[in-house]
Amino acid sequence: MNALHQQIRRTIRRYGLCPPGARLVVALSGGSDSVAMTLLLQELAPTTDFSLVSLAHFNHRLRPTADRDEQFCRAFASDVALPLVVASTDGQAYAAGAGVSGLGAAVGAVLGSGNTSTAYHSSGSGLGRGGGVVDQ
């Protein structure tokens, strides 16, 4: 285990981010932050007391590249052998605040996961704004 893995494990423990037996769903935007978090959590899962059960992608359709981001997420999920839950809405509904909050609940209900991990920066969009754990 390298220094980065050790630091992540310490941070998870220090802040109680993954309680024993936690089943995690990673919010995957297709950006480098959520891809890196997915790979790191997947590497850590076998040596920790949590499991990575799925990825979730929300296509807000705000950018011209939104559908390409979704396709990347589908291919990436296949490459890392994790199921992917995808939801979408049109940009106007997203801007009005509709759609996003339901994805986290749907993922939790379908997969039985209690936590969704996000790596979005504060100006990002997806399951939540800002990184962290979204409790269901």
Side-chain angles (χ1 to χ4, degrees):
M1 182 175 303
N2 66 38
L4 178 60
H5 289 99
Q6 292 172 0
Q7 180 63 40
I8 293 169
R9 282 177 64 135
R10 282 193 299 270
T11 300
I12 288 170
R13 287 187 185 129
R14 180 179 310 132
Y15 295 103
L17 298 176
C18 299
R23 295 169 39 86
L24 301 181
V25 175
V26 174
L28 181 67
S29 68
S32 58
D33 52 359
S34 62
V35 168
M37 182 174 65
T38 299
L39 295 173
L40 287 166
L41 290 173
Q42 193 172 44
E43 291 169 358
L44 285 171
T47 62
T48 58
D49 195 17
F50 67 81
S51 58
L52 185 55
V53 297
S54 181
L55 304 174
H57 177 74
F58 184 77
N59 185 342
H60 47 61
R61 302 197 189 287
L62 290 175
R63 292 188 313 270
T65 61
D67 289 334
R68 187 172 53 202
D69 294 341
E70 180 181 326
Q71 291 307 311
F72 171 82
C73 289
R74 290 182 185 280
F76 177 75
S78 177
D79 289 346
V80 297
L82 285 168
L84 174 69
V85 175
V86 176
S88 63
T89 191
D90 64 71
Q92 289 180 338
Y94 176 78
V100 178
S101 61
L103 179 60
V107 167
V110 169
L111 299 171
S113 173
N115 293 342
T116 302
S117 299
T118 65
Y120 295 104
H121 51 80
S122 62
S123 64
S125 58
L127 290 177
R129 294 189 189 269
V133 176
V134 181
D135 294 323
Q136 301 301 316

